Amino acid sequence: MPYTPDFGGLLTPGARFADGEAEHVLEMHSAGEVVLPTGRVVGCDPLVCPESDPFTVVVEPGRYPARAWVSSIRRDGVETDRRVAALELVIRDEPVTRWEMALVDGQDVGELDDDGFFGYGVDAGTGTLADRAALAPLEDWDYDRVEEVFLAEDEGHVEGPVPGLVDAVVDEATGANVLTVWSGWGDGCYGTWVGRTADDRVASFVTDFMVLPSEG
């Protein structure tokens, strides 16, 4: 079977996981709102791949809350590190009854090996869930502008409850924004899943940054 995260633990405030060296305690933090002018959601590292394709699941345009699920990593009861374990885009705040892998055109879950998944590559330690229309302007930004907006050494980005949180409006006309967080342990490949309600409506998109130990 393809890989699916343990969403029961990943999306539960106060959930605890041990890895033999430290304890992970999950926190949920509001990360603001994501404006979706088209409803075509993209998961990507926007600093290096803003041209990424949108998922095949499309939602109604609108403003939707984002949540950052942060792991407080503790040794001997003292926090020694904080990492974003998951980024969630909430379409409707209702119970999820099933999860499916978020795919882009051309991807087929049936082609995956056991524990395999489709994900996006991260090369700048940053992840987002944003509208395709919001990412399009970044394709024309030069590095200096990207660095100024998303990589400035602002103490608030580093020391706040959500590591690396930046919320940048890139289109004043529509309010479209790109909201970024640091991607777990950094660079890698990270999958996104779509949660659906009992009546099969989209409840959320969740990117798993593979922070938590495999056994809780």
Side-chain angles (χ1 to χ4, degrees), residues 57-192:
V57 173
V58 180
V59 299
E60 288 292 323
R63 304 178 66 94
Y64 297 100
R67 297 170 178 164
W69 293 87
V70 177
S71 175
S72 169
I73 302 171
R74 305 175 185 182
R75 291 174 172 81
D76 298 324
V78 178
E79 181 177 276
T80 59
D81 201 356
R82 297 176 65 78
R83 299 283 171 165
V84 179
L87 178 63
E88 179 181 17
L89 178 59
V90 181
I91 305 303
R92 48 178 52 83
D93 196 5
E94 299 178 14
V96 171
T97 59
R98 72 176 180 89
W99 294 92
E100 64 188 48
M101 199 175 300
L103 305 174
V104 302
D105 282 338
Q107 293 178 336
D108 181 356
V109 172
E111 298 177 355
L112 293 172
D113 296 331
D114 286 350
D115 294 325
F117 65 93
F118 291 110
Y120 65 82
V122 169
D123 197 39
T126 299
T128 191
L129 289 168
D131 196 279
R132 175 88 284 280
L135 291 164
L138 299 189
E139 297 179 43
D140 297 324
W141 286 20
D142 59 28
Y143 180 79
D144 288 344
R145 188 174 182 187
V146 170
E147 183 177 43
E148 179 183 358
V149 173
F150 293 103
L151 299 176
E153 294 183 359
D154 183 333
E155 184 174 315
H157 297 164
V158 178
E159 301 296 337
V162 180
L165 177 62
V166 176
D167 183 357
V169 175
V170 296
D171 184 347
E172 295 291 344
T174 64
N177 62 330
V178 177
L179 185 153
T180 64
V181 296
W182 288 348
S183 53
W185 300 112
D187 297 347
C189 181
Y190 303 107
T192 301

